[in-house]
Amino acid sequence: MSAVVHLIHGFNVWKPERTVGKLAPYFLSAGLPTNMVNYLWTGLYLARKRNSRVAARLCKVVRPDDIVVGHSNGCAIIKLALDLGMVCQRAILIHPALPVSVTFPERVARIDVWHDASDVPVKWAAILSSLIPDSWFAARPWGAAGAYGINTRDARIHNHNESACGFPDLGHSGLFRWDVLPLLGPKVVALP
């Protein structure tokens, strides 16, 4: 059975096919079927509850040879699912709203992180996360890794700076622009 690519969008998205869903044709052309995990638009407050439910659902559907792809808060959901026991071959984190010092359990073989310093929303997420009381969020999942990458000594983590690929100032969702996607989409998919 072929690996399946699970695409998980961010929290302020009405139509995920306009963000992370745009990568589906690239995975399909590589022979990998996709599954859009659409947890619907949710505001900041509802993200707390919905993230846990979506992470639990991922634990049930993701197989060890599958690939998970998240954008922004979708990356926080992937991290939570890994913490809950999900096992997968590879995680692709696009502008993750995660702390730059985040650590991952040994349940994923490779982690590719796409980031750029022009990602302002994740910088705000890091500030917001520091202001939210622990009683409101059991764990403060958000941070600025989408701007700076993940800075740990974990050999499974591979940071990819979009500016270094020749695409400066793409912001938080610029990888999904129609003029950029044909150039970066294949790179996101083709990494080993």
Side-chain angles (χ1 to χ4, degrees):
M1 185 176 280
S2 175
V4 174
V5 179
H6 303 272
L7 304 166
I8 304 106
H9 62 85
F11 82 87
N12 194 16
V13 173
W14 286 100
K15 295 186 176 187
E17 62 273 9
R18 292 185 179 171
T19 60
V20 73
K22 288 183 177 179
L23 291 171
Y26 297 96
F27 285 107
L28 289 170
S29 69
L32 297 167
T34 61
N35 170 41
M36 176 58 71
V37 179
N38 185 355
Y39 60 95
L40 306 174
W41 181 91
T42 181
L44 180 61
Y45 179 74
L46 289 178
R48 174 182 178 214
K49 292 182 181 180
R50 206 164 278 170
N51 282 6
S52 297
R53 287 197 310 255
V54 177
R57 185 171 27 144
L58 283 176
C59 289
K60 293 177 183 175
V61 299
V62 173
R63 299 177 320 229
D65 60 336
D66 286 353
I67 298 168
V68 291
V69 181
H71 175 240
S72 190
N73 183 62
C75 301
I77 291 171
I78 289 169
K79 167 66 166 99
L80 182 56
L82 288 165
D83 289 343
L84 292 173
M86 179 183 77
V87 178
C88 63
Q89 172 192 147
R90 180 178 171 204
I92 300 172
L93 310 177
I94 300 167
H95 290 261
L98 291 169
V100 295
S101 60
V102 66
T103 59
F104 291 88
E106 296 294 324
R107 296 182 187 101
V108 55
R110 181 182 172 101
I111 303 163
D112 290 288
V113 181
W114 288 86
H115 65 91
D116 191 84
S118 65
D119 188 345
V120 174
V122 296
K123 292 177 185 178
W124 279 106
I127 293 168
L128 179 63
S129 184
S130 69
L131 299 175
I132 295 174
D134 286 337
S135 61
W136 194 77
F137 254 131
R140 297 178 185 159
W142 295 321
Y148 307 113
I150 295 176
N151 301 319
T152 62
R153 295 188 181 271
D154 188 332
R156 298 171 300 156
I157 295 175
H158 304 271
N159 287 298
H160 307 281
N161 186 318
E162 291 164 5
S163 292
C165 294
F167 298 96
D169 303 325
L170 289 180
H172 187 61
S173 299
L175 184 140
F176 306 118
R177 287 186 354 208
W178 289 112
D179 61 328
V180 174
L181 192 61
L183 302 169
L184 279 184
K187 290 184 180 193
V188 171
V189 172
L191 292 169

